[in-house]
């Protein structure tokens, strides 16, 4: 059996949460994009050319 995934916009999720009486961010359904630190390569280089 093949599983399907639904694709919903943020606005649709937020509206559904409000309809259910939930805060979309506090309930974990949506969250702000978190800043991530830059990754380095396996050799420790940041990928910049000097």
């Amino acid at each position: 059996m093949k599983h399907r995934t639904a694709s919903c916009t943020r606005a649709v999720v937020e509206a559904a949460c409000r309809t259910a009486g939930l805060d979309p961010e506090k309930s974990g359904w949506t969250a702000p994009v978190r800043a991530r630190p830059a990754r380095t390569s396996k050799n420790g280089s940041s990928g910049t050319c000097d």
Side-chain angles (χ1 to χ4, degrees):
M1 175 186 234
K2 205 172 204 183
H3 294 280
R4 296 182 183 209
T5 58
S7 178
C8 299
T9 64
R10 183 181 187 106
V12 169
V13 173
E14 288 174 347
C17 284
R18 284 191 206 93
T19 299
L22 298 171
D23 180 301
E25 280 192 31
K26 289 181 182 177
S27 64
W29 284 100
T30 63
V33 176
R34 295 184 300 167
R36 295 185 300 176
R39 293 179 60 183
T40 57
S41 66
K42 290 181 180 180
N43 67 2
S45 167
S46 64
T48 60
C49 298
D50 294 307

